[in-house]
Amino acid sequence: SPNQAGSLLSAQPPAGPLLGAGSHPLLVSPAVSWEKARIPGVLQRLGVTYFVVAVLELLFAKPVPESCASERSCFSLLDVTSSWPQWLFVLVLEGVWLALTFFLPVPGCPTGYLGPGGIGDLGKYPNCTGGAAGYIDRLLLGDDHLYQHPSPAVLYHTKVAYDPEGILGTINSILMAYLGVQAGKILLYHKDRTKGILIRFAAWGCFLGLISVALTKASENEGFIPVNKNLWSTSYVTTLSSSAFLILLVLYPIVDVKGLWTGTPFFYPGMNSILVYVGHEVFANYFPFQWRLGDSQSHREHLVQNIVATALWVLIAYVLYRKNVFWKI
């Protein structure tokens, strides 16, 4: 599916000048109105996701044994079984996502529709963008409070508002976050057993990868649940989480065990991730982060531009790190 174009607010500045003849700068109406302010968003989703996961851990987490040397269960699945209440809650949430996605009646749309709407599917369902996910957001939040320029509008010429950070997709972001918690518990429960940690990272990576293969039928756009970032589909979560576990499988022995790499230079943006994110959103269309391309359809030119922009933000993050400047939420 097309990548989303992120935005902090759906409202856009007016096309004309902000100041009319004789206007005073301090008396000009703001370009963004609360009546059209976007309610969902990337940071909002992060907040909800981590709130739910944190509450689950505060309510149900058990102390990690000081030493697992004398406990045979530590050599098996204690890192999973100790969290069964949390996993039960997360799996029930996933059942809610599946039920609403595939069985909620959406007026004028096929039940279980996962398509883009617009001119997709030969233009049969122009107002069905996002299926149940889009319908729930429009019903509960209202069209004016959703993202007005989603990426399907570019490729499929959709006309309805659709928010890739909407309510239904948040369920699957909670699933992904808890898979991250599971990775952390593997490190805590088996911290003195590198082989055991690597085996579990490999097992989770393969397990989630097989789920993705089954859900997508090993295809790009087909299958029971295709990989779709705008919907945050289950297969999207399992595919990315599988990749994350396999990356940990490679990096853990290199960085944490052998100490062959410290994570530099990616360490620096990680220390100021919110600042880099907000800075990118604000300055993405300004030089030197972006410039007029000779061929706007050239992948090579876009790649060069994006590499330069990324390198600049890494450099900015490094300078801020050296100056001991960190922005946090």
Side-chain angles (χ1 to χ4, degrees):
S1 64
N3 291 331
Q4 83 182 69
S7 174
L8 295 180
L9 292 172
S10 62
Q12 300 297 311
L18 287 177
L19 300 180
S23 298
H24 190 284
L26 299 180
L27 300 179
V28 176
S29 298
V32 176
S33 166
W34 285 114
E35 294 180 356
K36 292 184 177 294
R38 181 185 177 196
I39 295 177
V42 175
L43 299 182
Q44 293 91 315
R45 172 169 286 189
L46 287 174
V48 172
T49 297
Y50 285 112
F51 175 78
V52 172
V53 172
V55 169
L56 283 176
E57 285 298 290
L58 287 171
L59 291 177
F60 300 111
K62 297 180 180 178
V64 179
E66 288 293 331
S67 173
C68 290
S70 60
E71 299 183 33
R72 292 181 59 188
S73 59
C74 285
F75 290 91
S76 56
L77 297 174
L78 186 60
D79 52 289
V80 178
T81 57
S82 65
S83 303
W84 71 264
Q86 296 97 308
W87 272 116
L88 179 62
F89 183 86
V90 170
L91 293 176
V92 168
L93 275 183
E94 186 60 27
V96 171
W97 185 89
L98 292 168
L100 291 174
T101 298
F102 291 103
F103 298 106
L104 178 70
V106 178
C109 305
T111 302
Y113 181 71
L114 297 176
I119 63 173
D121 304 295
L122 302 177
K124 295 179 181 178
Y125 318 112
N127 297 320
C128 296
T129 303
Y135 174 65
I136 289 173
D137 289 340
R138 290 188 289 271
L139 183 66
L140 298 181
L141 303 178
D143 285 358
D144 289 341
H145 295 292
L146 303 178
Y147 190 39
Q148 300 297 309
H149 307 284
S151 55
V154 177
L155 190 60
Y156 298 101
H157 304 289
T158 58
K159 302 299 182 183
V160 296
Y162 176 76
D163 210 302
E165 272 75 50
I167 297 171
L168 201 55
T170 303
I171 289 176
N172 280 339
S173 68
I174 291 171
L175 170 61
M176 179 179 281
Y178 204 76
L179 286 167
V181 172
Q182 182 59 49
K185 290 192 175 184
I186 290 173
L187 293 172
L188 289 174
Y189 276 86
H190 307 279
K191 58 185 176 181
D192 298 324
R193 301 181 182 84
T194 300
K195 182 179 178 180
I197 289 173
L198 296 181
I199 288 173
R200 284 163 177 80
F201 283 165
W204 274 102
C206 293
F207 173 64
L208 293 168
L210 289 173
I211 292 177
S212 294
V213 170
L215 292 177
T216 63
K217 296 183 179 179
S219 64
E220 183 178 357
N221 295 312
E222 306 300 327
F224 304 106
I225 305 178
V227 173
N228 191 307
K229 183 180 185 294
N230 277 326
L231 287 174
W232 271 72
S233 61
T234 304
S235 59
Y236 172 76
V237 169
T238 55
T239 300
L240 264 65
S241 299
S242 172
S243 301
F245 273 108
L246 296 178
I247 290 172
L248 281 174
L249 176 64
V250 174
L251 292 183
Y252 179 72
I254 294 175
V255 176
D256 292 80
V257 179
K258 300 294 184 181
L260 300 177
W261 181 41
T262 62
T264 305
F266 306 110
F267 169 83
Y268 305 116
M271 295 293 288
N272 246 324
S273 56
I274 294 299
L275 186 149
V276 171
Y277 170 74
V278 174
H280 163 72
E281 289 292 326
V282 174
F283 297 106
N285 296 323
Y286 292 88
F287 184 84
F289 305 103
Q290 188 178 103
W291 57 85
R292 186 185 299 277
L293 301 177
D295 179 4
S296 62
Q297 300 301 315
S298 169
H299 289 274
R300 180 180 61 82
E301 292 191 42
H302 278 287
L303 177 61
V304 171
Q305 187 179 76
N306 290 330
I307 290 175
V308 170
T310 301
L312 286 172
W313 281 114
V314 171
L315 178 61
I316 292 170
Y318 170 72
V319 172
L320 293 171
Y321 175 82
R322 291 297 301 268
K323 291 182 176 294
N324 203 32
V325 175
F326 304 102
W327 281 16
K328 298 182 180 180
I329 295 180

